[in-house]
Amino acid sequence: MQGTMLSNEQMLFLQQEKQQLNIAKRILSDFNLPEKALNALGEAILQLDELFLIVVVGEYNAGKSALINALLGDHVLEEGVTPTTTRVTLVRWGEALSEQIVNEDFAIVTYPLELLKELNLIDSPGTNAIIRRHELLTTEYVPRSDLVLFTTSADRPLTESERQFLEKILAWGKKIVMVINKADILEGRAAVEEVRAFVAQHTAGILGYTPELFVLSAKLAEKANQTSDPEEKERLRKASGITDLERYITETLDDRVRLELKLSNPLGVAANLLQQAEGLNQAQAEELQADLKLVSELEEMLSAYRKELTAE
């Protein structure tokens, strides 16, 4: 795992995990599983050697790109009220701001932020958009993540499509952190707490636990980044709520926690594929049982027919 100094024991454990996962992948390939699902496991295994990966997901216009810009402290990614993120964008460290369009589905953006030497960020196309391919891109990239920042908008928190998408992410065994963006449109503390309680309650019902939850305004955070007045900058950043999320990413997600999540990532993907394989086995077993029953019934019919023929 790049960016983290591993002890000899941790390095040995990492190599053993990769070896066992590759064996599991070979065994699972004997089942009639979708090729994309098997590829997801292969990519998750390769991801073990990469930097910690945070994938930002959510519906279009939830402010995912604005959230990443706020974390970067600069206007790096394009934003808009319509689906502006049309491809998966990997944000990583580089000596200068640059963008490389790899193909219509993937781009790489570099930016000189110290945090990016420790982790990478993914900006994904919005779900529930009119362009269904965008949602497919996001769904396919989630299995590679070590942590998912699930972004929902304060004006339409946790829609039905977001609930369904959360269930898909849960099936891959991912660590999920909830972000309620656009808190600046809510009037008063009571409204903020009402939205927070609503999202906390319903995500706990879906996930089976209450995830870390941050209420913030990426708009105010970006506004803070644009001002040259230190006092105004500090006031806006505090009002935006972005500092709590930054602290979580830089302090709570320390090397130990990141390593734990990194090692757990492909295990969750493998468990998902194992569940699919068990489902296929169960379906095949039921089909065989039905075939055996049919054969037994045919044998009884033939036996009765033989008796009739013998009697005649």
Side-chain angles (χ1 to χ4, degrees):
M1 176 183 169
Q2 296 180 12
T4 300
M5 293 297 294
L6 301 182
S7 65
N8 291 339
E9 184 180 4
Q10 290 171 334
M11 182 63 72
L12 178 61
F13 185 84
L14 176 64
Q15 295 305 317
Q16 290 174 339
E17 179 175 337
K18 288 168 65 176
Q19 183 180 15
Q20 294 302 316
L21 284 167
N22 279 309
I23 292 173
K25 184 174 180 289
R26 286 197 297 272
I27 294 172
L28 288 168
S29 64
D30 292 334
F31 293 84
N32 191 26
L33 293 170
E35 185 178 352
K36 287 184 178 179
L38 288 170
N39 289 341
L41 178 56
E43 289 163 353
I45 295 171
L46 292 175
Q47 183 64 27
L48 283 170
D49 294 322
E50 300 296 328
L51 286 177
F52 189 82
L53 183 64
I54 298 178
V55 176
V56 182
V57 303
E59 285 193 349
Y60 77 96
N61 200 29
K64 300 183 298 300
S65 299
L67 174 61
I68 293 178
N69 284 336
L71 290 172
L72 296 176
D74 199 354
H75 191 89
V76 175
L77 302 177
E78 183 183 358
E79 302 173 29
V81 295
T82 57
T84 53
T85 303
T86 58
R87 57 176 63 89
V88 170
T89 303
L90 170 66
V91 183
R92 62 192 308 173
W93 186 87
E95 294 183 354
L97 173 61
S98 69
E99 182 181 27
Q100 177 188 359
I101 307 298
V102 178
N103 54 48
E104 64 174 352
D105 294 335
F106 187 72
I108 300 174
V109 169
T110 62
Y111 186 74
L113 180 68
E114 201 66 23
L115 178 65
L116 294 177
K117 291 183 178 180
E118 301 176 14
L119 55 83
N120 289 332
L121 294 168
I122 287 286
D123 187 19
S124 64
T127 61
N128 201 29
I130 193 171
I131 306 173
R132 304 310 295 176
R133 186 176 65 84
H134 292 178
E135 183 167 339
L136 182 62
L137 284 173
T138 300
T139 303
E140 289 179 349
Y141 217 88
V142 164
R144 309 180 197 183
S145 64
D146 299 310
L147 181 141
V148 174
L149 277 185
F150 196 103
T151 309
T152 187
S153 180
D155 59 344
R156 43 182 174 80
L158 213 57
T159 65
E160 181 57 32
S161 67
E162 287 178 324
R163 294 169 192 261
Q164 294 173 6
F165 193 52
L166 261 179
E167 291 173 351
K168 289 181 182 179
I169 299 173
L170 179 63
W172 290 110
K174 297 300 173 183
K175 168 73 173 178
I176 299 172
V177 172
M178 297 296 299
V179 174
I180 303 173
N181 194 13
K182 303 185 181 181
D184 54 289
I185 67 175
L186 299 175
E187 296 184 4
R189 189 67 185 172
V192 171
E193 291 306 316
E194 182 181 352
V195 171
R196 181 197 295 272
F198 175 85
V199 173
Q201 176 186 349
H202 290 282
T203 51
I206 297 168
L207 303 177
Y209 64 91
T210 302
E212 287 87 353
L213 195 155
F214 298 90
V215 183
L216 55 84
S217 168
K219 180 181 177 180
L220 282 180
E222 286 193 273
K223 191 175 180 180
N225 293 331
Q226 294 166 2
T227 183
S228 57
D229 184 344
E231 292 185 2
E232 179 67 4
K233 186 184 187 74
E234 184 61 28
R235 185 189 69 80
L236 288 172
R237 281 180 56 80
K238 185 176 180 180
S240 73
I242 193 67
T243 52
D244 292 333
L245 180 58
E246 288 175 338
R247 191 177 302 112
Y248 174 81
I249 292 174
T250 57
E251 296 178 14
T252 306
L253 291 179
D254 58 17
D255 284 347
R256 182 189 63 80
V257 176
R258 289 179 191 167
L259 178 60
E260 181 180 339
L261 291 174
K262 169 68 73 176
L263 294 175
S264 300
N265 167 34
L267 297 178
V269 177
N272 179 275
L273 294 185
L274 179 60
Q275 188 175 21
Q276 292 184 45
E278 288 176 345
L280 288 172
N281 263 358
Q282 181 64 30
Q284 291 172 353
E286 290 173 358
E287 288 179 5
L288 287 173
Q289 198 66 31
D291 289 343
L292 287 172
K293 183 180 179 182
L294 179 60
V295 168
S296 178
E297 292 172 351
L298 287 173
E299 286 179 343
E300 290 178 3
M301 290 172 61
L302 287 172
S303 178
Y305 186 56
R306 283 196 200 96
K307 290 180 180 178
E308 290 179 9
L309 286 178
T310 302
E312 290 178 2

